[in-house]
């Protein structure tokens, strides 16, 4: 899927959010701990509540009757549209609740209608900055939200009344972003917790045509499937919850597929090695991360065959396509997982799991002792020793009742 902006449109890209994470190259090759998720405030990873966000609550009485372009006509490109999509960069949404307008850094942003500023947030590399304006339109409350500003307080303050067409900020590229642009959202009722509207449709109904006002229109189509990779070792869970049961562990760089917009509760439904489950949104990237394996699996040695034996994993461990850290991570193993080893190569062990032939380092695999078979006395004729009183019981235990004294 094309990225939202090109250097030809914006004159250069801002700092991105793709943070390559390499697997630990130590001999044990243990799977790294999950990194903390990216901050969730902002357009592409909206907060689940408004707790802790600076703002005011008002009851607007002035009814907005005039509507304006959020960026001057012929000063922007009409890019990533409203609706389901493949995330264009790590941290970006796959359910796009706004319309993107590409423009150079510092381009003025205007309020689309009369209203009052109720929220501001200054952005940074990880969080999308924004200004939120509350409006009264046809007797209903609406909020317009303007994202990816670097500094949200260059032109307005919380509680300030603004007019349609008034400058409220400047285009930036803060948070999950592929380049400078305005991401515009329209909410009926509460911001984030209300009803989301397509900004293009909402403004067109009020005389503002975002498409005709653009210098170019990117007719981006929604693909049937998205390709993603894990940025670190992460769990594939059975439900869209961080407490859902673990189906399997995925190593860093694992290749996944997903349907555009198939997300819930900050989790994305994915297919991994034929298994379907949910992965934390913050653990996914559309770009193959560095360190995901450089040697093709076809070049992996077969190793020396051994008598199949069970081993138990003693820590979170990467399972790779070959016997070495230069092979791709295919799966992640949780402590306590039992596998059957069929071959070895140096300190590496080969086994099959979830339909794949994989390798892990033996330092964190303990052999499972074979169960001890119960001993059975040989049948035959025996004589009680002279001078010994012997009790015959109803079963093979001293707790069974005595049936006869010999």
């Amino acid at each position: 899927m094309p990225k939202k902006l090109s250097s030809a449109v914006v004159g250069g890209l801002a700092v991105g959010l793709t943070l390559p994470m390499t697997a630990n190259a130590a001999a044990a090759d243990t799977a790294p701990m999950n990194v903390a998720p990216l901050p969730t405030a902002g357009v592409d990873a909206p907060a689940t509540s408004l707790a802790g966000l600076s703002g005011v609550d008002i009851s607007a009485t002035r009814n907005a009757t005039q509507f304006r372009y959020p960026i001057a006509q012929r000063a922007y490109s009409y890019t990533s549209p409203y609706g389901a999509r493949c995330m264009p960069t790590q941290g970006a949404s796959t359910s796009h609740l706004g319309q993107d307008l590409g423009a150079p850094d510092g381009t003025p942003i205007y309020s689309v209608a009369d209203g009052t500023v109720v929220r501001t947030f200054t952005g940074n590399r990880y969080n999308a900055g924004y200004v939120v304006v509350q409006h009264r339109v046809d007797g209903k409350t609406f909020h317009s939200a303007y994202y990816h500003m670097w500094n949200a307080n260059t032109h307005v303050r919380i509680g300030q009344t603004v007019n349609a067409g008034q400058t409220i900020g400047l285009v930036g590229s803060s948070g999950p972003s592929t380049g400078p642009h305005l991401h515009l959202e329209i909410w009926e009722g509460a911001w984030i917790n209300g009803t989301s509207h397509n900004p293009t449709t909402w403004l067109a109904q009020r005389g503002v045509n975002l498409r005709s006002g653009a210098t170019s229109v990117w007719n981006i189509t929604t693909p049937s499937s998205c390709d993603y990779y894990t940025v670190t070792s992460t769990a594939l869970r059975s439900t869209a919850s961080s407490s859902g049961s673990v189906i399997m562990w995925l190593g860093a760089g694992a290749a996944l597929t997903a349907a555009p917009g198939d997300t819930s509760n900050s989790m994305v439904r994915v297919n991994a090695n034929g298994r379907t489950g949910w992965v934390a949104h913050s653990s996914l990237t559309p770009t193959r991360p560095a360190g995901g394996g450089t040697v093709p699996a076809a070049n992996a040695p077969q190793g020396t065959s051994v008598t199949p034996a069970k081993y138990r994993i003693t820590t979170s461990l990467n399972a790779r396509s070959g016997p070495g850290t230069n092979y791709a991570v295919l799966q992640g193993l949780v402590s306590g997982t039992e596998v059957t080893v069929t071959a070895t190569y140096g300190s590496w062990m080969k086994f099959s799991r979830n339909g794949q032939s994989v390798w892990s380092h033996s330092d964190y695999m303990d052999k499972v002792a074979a169960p001890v078979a119960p001993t059975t006395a040989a049948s035959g004729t025996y004589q009680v020793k002279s001078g010994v009183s012997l009790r015959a019981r109803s079963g093979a235990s001293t707790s069974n009742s005595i049936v006869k004294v010999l």
Side-chain angles (χ1 to χ4, degrees):
M1 173 178 177
K3 289 189 176 181
K4 290 189 246 182
L5 301 175
S6 68
S7 57
V9 174
V10 301
L13 299 182
V15 177
L17 271 185
T18 302
L19 307 175
M21 304 192 70
T22 58
N24 192 341
D29 192 36
T30 52
M33 295 294 290
N34 286 344
V35 295
L38 294 175
T40 56
V43 52
D44 287 317
T48 55
S49 72
L50 303 185
L53 298 180
S54 299
V56 298
D57 293 311
I58 64 168
S59 296
T61 56
R62 182 173 54 159
N63 195 62
T65 58
Q66 298 184 30
F67 301 89
R68 298 287 184 266
Y69 283 86
I71 295 179
Q73 296 184 66
R74 322 311 297 172
Y76 65 88
S77 296
Y78 184 94
T79 60
S80 189
Y82 183 95
R85 66 174 183 177
C86 296
M87 64 173 69
T89 188
Q90 184 184 349
S93 68
T94 182
S95 293
H96 199 221
L97 298 181
Q99 175 60 52
D100 287 351
L101 306 177
D105 255 317
T107 300
I109 297 172
Y110 310 125
S111 177
V112 296
D114 295 347
T116 302
V117 177
V118 293
R119 294 280 191 275
T120 64
F121 182 84
T122 290
N124 53 42
R125 182 182 178 188
Y126 302 101
N127 285 6
Y130 53 79
V131 168
V132 180
V133 180
Q134 186 181 93
H135 314 279
R136 193 72 174 168
V137 180
D138 298 328
K140 297 180 180 179
T141 298
F142 288 87
H143 289 83
S144 58
Y146 311 78
Y147 292 92
H148 296 297
M149 300 175 184
W150 290 110
N151 187 341
N153 300 117
T154 56
H155 290 76
V156 294
R157 296 290 185 273
I158 292 173
Q160 178 179 338
T161 298
V162 295
N163 298 320
Q166 180 176 332
T167 301
I168 58 174
L170 304 174
V171 168
S173 189
S174 61
S177 173
T178 57
H181 69 288
L182 165 65
H183 171 99
L184 174 67
E185 292 185 359
I186 300 294
W187 292 84
E188 182 177 350
W191 170 55
I192 290 181
N193 294 321
T195 301
S196 173
H197 286 268
N198 185 331
T200 298
T201 303
W202 192 85
L203 284 172
Q205 293 168 346
R206 292 160 177 83
V208 177
N209 191 320
L210 292 180
R211 282 178 166 267
S212 64
T215 56
S216 61
V217 175
W218 291 37
N219 291 314
I220 299 173
T221 57
T222 303
S224 60
S225 179
C226 306
D227 293 325
Y228 298 131
Y229 303 89
T230 51
V231 295
T232 185
S233 176
T234 189
L236 179 71
R237 299 187 180 275
S238 59
T239 59
S241 169
S242 58
S243 60
S245 60
V246 176
I247 297 174
M248 62 187 291
W249 277 87
L250 303 170
L256 314 170
T257 58
D262 195 356
T263 181
S264 176
N265 195 29
S266 297
M267 306 282 283
V268 178
R269 186 178 356 225
V270 300
N271 183 284
N273 300 321
R275 307 288 293 276
T276 299
W278 297 83
V279 170
H281 173 271
S282 59
S283 297
L284 298 179
T285 176
T287 306
R288 186 186 296 274
T294 57
V295 179
N299 295 341
Q302 295 302 305
T304 302
S305 296
V306 297
T307 302
K310 283 191 174 296
Y311 282 78
R312 182 177 292 110
I313 307 302
T314 61
T315 187
S316 295
L317 193 64
N318 288 330
R320 295 181 176 271
S321 62
T325 56
N326 55 343
Y327 288 90
V329 174
L330 299 181
Q331 302 180 31
L333 307 172
V334 295
S335 178
T337 301
E338 290 192 1
V339 298
T340 300
V341 172
T342 57
T344 61
Y345 186 84
S347 297
W348 293 78
M349 293 185 168
K350 183 180 182 180
F351 51 92
S352 179
R353 185 166 181 270
N354 295 323
Q356 289 183 311
S357 180
V358 293
W359 296 79
S360 287
H361 201 277
S362 61
D363 281 358
Y364 288 84
M365 299 173 64
D366 283 349
K367 191 171 185 178
V368 177
V372 179
T375 58
T376 303
S379 61
T381 301
Y382 293 83
Q383 183 176 0
V384 178
K385 290 182 179 180
S386 176
V388 175
S389 177
L390 191 65
R391 296 176 176 85
R393 297 182 178 270
S394 59
S397 171
T398 56
S399 62
N400 291 109
S401 60
I402 299 172
V403 297
K404 190 175 183 180
V405 178
L406 304 175

